[in-house]
Amino acid sequence: FALEDLLEFAKPLRMRNYSISSSPLLDPQRVTITVGQVSGPARSGHGTYRGVCSTHLLDLEPGDRMIAAVSSIDSGFRVPENPTVPIIMVGAGTGLAPFRGFVQHRQAQHDMGIDVGPALLLAGCRRSDHDRIYGDEWDAWQAEGMVEVDWGFSRQPGQPRQYVQDRIRARADRIGELLEQGAAVYVCGDGSQMAPAVRTAIGEIFAGGDGTPEAALMALTEANRYHEDVWAGA
């Protein structure tokens, strides 16, 4: 068999979906995505496995062309239409991607003279000097009062491990205050461990001393105030 004949029997690769990490209000002609390269020891024990799409993107040069599609989402995972609604964003690693676009959007609205509500980001990464994605941008936005950022570092030398759910509990008073103001909650990242832990932590805060975390979270979800964009962890 020739190679092209064998490929006839191969299934097409599934489409890879990435969150857009920029706002069209900043530049309607430019879209950015945030991708972490998948790379690690091959399961066979021989050589290194590299993700097909992430490696392809990494190997592209400026000016190269590729096929892509922009899809509209129906899940509600987008910045609120009312710019005064407070937002609570929770993400780790490349899960911070859509929130960069959220804050860019509100920054652009603010620059147009539109009133915008408070924003709180609970962000997670391994170390402050290693993978604090878009760190300089978050610092600048925080200095301008566009967002409050609270980092949890899981591998910071000399410090105990902190994950986003730990930072949520540490900021319970502030989160409770924003929830009382009608804040919408957005969670992006690992769906196997991070997202369930965040659900529990947010549910505990919203429930307070009345009811269960599960019932409180359901109430937020039914009110269209709790949104997730999660994927299976490695």
Side-chain angles (χ1 to χ4, degrees):
F1 287 97
L3 177 59
E4 55 267 28
D5 295 326
L6 291 174
L7 291 176
E8 290 282 341
F9 296 96
K11 293 182 179 180
L13 292 174
R14 65 177 178 82
M15 183 178 294
R16 268 62 167 180
N17 295 316
Y18 297 100
S19 298
I20 292 176
S21 57
S22 58
S23 168
L25 289 184
L26 187 69
D27 185 346
Q29 301 301 318
R30 183 181 180 87
V31 172
T32 69
I33 59 174
T34 304
V35 181
Q37 186 191 21
V38 177
S39 179
R43 291 181 179 178
S44 65
H46 302 286
T48 301
Y49 172 82
R50 292 182 174 84
V52 176
C53 190
S54 60
T55 301
H56 173 67
L57 292 172
L58 184 68
D59 290 340
L60 291 175
E61 298 290 343
D64 287 347
R65 292 176 176 268
M66 63 172 294
I67 298 174
V70 178
S71 301
S72 177
I73 56 174
D74 299 320
S75 65
F77 203 94
R78 61 184 72 207
V79 68
E81 291 186 12
N82 181 348
T84 65
V85 172
I87 53 176
I88 299 169
M89 303 165 287
V90 185
T94 55
L96 297 178
F99 303 137
R100 178 178 184 254
F102 281 22
V103 179
Q104 279 187 359
H105 199 83
R106 288 212 158 170
Q107 176 73 69
Q109 290 176 319
H110 177 267
D111 292 345
M112 296 174 188
I114 299 171
D115 290 334
V116 298
L120 172 64
L121 171 67
L122 291 308
C125 67
R126 289 182 176 84
R127 291 168 38 180
S128 60
D129 61 348
H130 175 62
D131 56 349
R132 197 170 68 99
I133 298 175
Y134 302 120
D136 291 345
E137 293 185 11
W138 297 120
D139 291 345
W141 282 323
Q142 182 160 235
E144 294 172 15
M146 294 307 305
V147 63
E148 302 170 56
V149 186
D150 193 307
W151 289 94
F153 303 114
S154 62
R155 302 290 188 278
Q156 187 78 351
Q159 294 185 11
R161 293 187 178 187
Q162 287 278 296
Y163 298 97
V164 287
Q165 59 267 28
D166 300 316
R167 300 314 309 157
I168 289 172
R169 291 188 171 93
R171 298 297 302 275
D173 289 346
R174 179 56 173 156
I175 291 171
E177 177 185 337
L178 293 175
L179 289 173
E180 288 182 3
Q181 296 173 18
V185 182
Y186 300 87
V187 183
C188 186
D190 167 45
S192 62
Q193 297 185 32
M194 185 271 284
V198 169
R199 289 186 207 116
T200 299
I202 293 290
E204 290 171 350
I205 293 170
F206 193 55
D210 184 16
T212 66
E214 294 80 9
L217 191 69
M218 183 174 293
L220 276 175
T221 304
E222 291 178 347
N224 200 34
R225 293 175 55 196
Y226 195 89
H227 309 279
E228 290 185 333
D229 179 10
V230 298
W231 53 87

